[in-house]
Amino acid sequence: AQSVTQLGSHVSVSEGALVLLRCNYSSSVPPYLFWYVQYPNQGLQLLLKYTTGATLVKGINGFEAEFKKSETSFHLTKPSAHMSDAAEYFCAVSGSGSARQLTFGSGTQLTVLP
Amino acid sequence: NAGVTQTPKFRVLKTGQSMTLLCAQDMNHEYMYWYRQDPGMGLRLIHYSVGEGTTAKGEVPDGYNVSRLKKQNFLLGLESAAPSQTSVYFCASSYGGRGSDTQYFGPGTRLTVL
């Protein structure tokens, strides 16, 4: 079985400040890890994913995430928040099986304050 | 290239009524999925399909049926709607079924059951 825990259902940062969204996972097999973003009234859009290789993954819009196996974490960061980053962010995990096993966290709503 | 589209965008039903949600993708993807999104719960998989003519149950299949008569379309049916099925429904597709394959999401259908 696999699961995802996102710490903090709501995170607020000031424009220009560091964004840190936390994600911890559990998986009985080597995981594939994803971050998706959902803007209001829209579908989910892939930000980045970790499959194999380099543990620091760079995504779109200046986001990046680091896979830390020892900590079972895949935290999402961005050095400087922009107003347009306000959205809901979902971490997801899948195992080495089929993609139907994609399991989502409960989401983190990011607010960017002017 | 429209990606994944969903019809309708909004729907209000009375308890006991039936309806069908349509998902279409133009990326020639083999795998398609139906999720529901509820506040604080992330996305949960309802049903999925690994190819034309195939369907399988996900995490929360009760009260729903699906069909995949054509590769590009995946239909989700509610035979007798209940208030507990009030949710936002997302369709997704992926090229293959590997855990590393990215799922591409549609814009969602907001369903209210009175």
Side-chain angles (χ1 to χ4, degrees):
Chain A
Q2 54 196 30
S3 66
V4 175
T5 300
Q6 291 184 240
L7 296 176
S9 58
H10 292 85
V11 171
S12 294
V13 300
S14 298
E15 191 173 18
L18 171 71
V19 176
L20 171 60
L21 305 182
R22 300 179 186 274
C23 172
N24 289 89
Y25 70 91
S26 68
S27 175
S28 58
V29 296
Y32 301 112
L33 295 156
F34 303 78
W35 275 100
Y36 282 87
V37 60
Q38 184 181 30
Y39 298 104
N41 300 313
Q42 294 187 25
L44 279 71
Q45 177 184 0
L46 181 70
L47 271 179
L48 50 82
K49 68 178 180 181
Y50 169 78
T51 55
T52 59
T55 57
L56 182 62
V57 181
K58 294 186 185 299
I60 61 172
N61 302 337
F63 284 93
E64 61 182 35
E66 186 171 11
F67 170 58
K68 292 187 176 181
K69 184 178 179 181
S70 61
E71 299 178 7
T72 61
S73 69
F74 191 56
H75 301 331
L76 182 71
T77 61
K78 182 175 180 178
S80 178
H82 192 273
M83 297 296 289
S84 61
D85 295 327
E88 189 157 22
Y89 292 80
F90 292 93
C91 182
V93 63
S94 70
S96 57
S98 64
R100 61 182 177 268
Q101 297 175 355
L102 192 62
T103 300
F104 286 85
S106 56
T108 298
Q109 182 68 47
L110 176 66
T111 299
V112 181
L113 305 171
Chain B
N1 189 338
V4 179
T5 58
Q6 293 182 231
T7 308
K9 288 185 168 54
F10 302 94
R11 186 72 186 267
V12 178
L13 291 178
K14 294 180 179 179
T15 298
Q17 288 184 319
S18 63
M19 76 163 294
T20 299
L21 306 183
L22 171 64
C23 175
Q25 53 93 5
D26 61 1
M27 297 176 282
N28 201 33
H29 285 171
E30 287 292 337
Y31 284 66
M32 296 186 74
Y33 314 81
W34 275 107
Y35 293 89
R36 60 178 289 171
Q37 182 183 30
D38 301 295
M41 300 186 72
L43 279 74
R44 293 180 292 167
L45 183 65
I46 305 171
H47 286 280
Y48 63 95
S49 167
V50 303
E52 181 178 318
T54 74
T55 63
K57 294 180 180 180
E59 180 186 355
V60 288
D62 294 342
Y64 305 95
N65 56 76
V66 288
S67 64
R68 182 104 180 264
L69 299 180
K70 294 182 179 181
K71 184 178 182 179
Q72 64 267 34
N73 295 336
F74 195 29
L75 279 64
L76 177 71
L78 286 72
E79 291 185 347
S80 179
S84 60
Q85 294 178 305
T86 293
S87 187
V88 181
Y89 292 86
F90 287 99
C91 177
S93 70
S94 64
Y95 178 75
R98 295 175 304 175
S100 58
D101 287 334
T102 297
Q103 294 187 20
Y104 296 87
F105 286 80
T109 294
R110 188 173 296 274
L111 174 66
T112 301
V113 182
L114 302 176

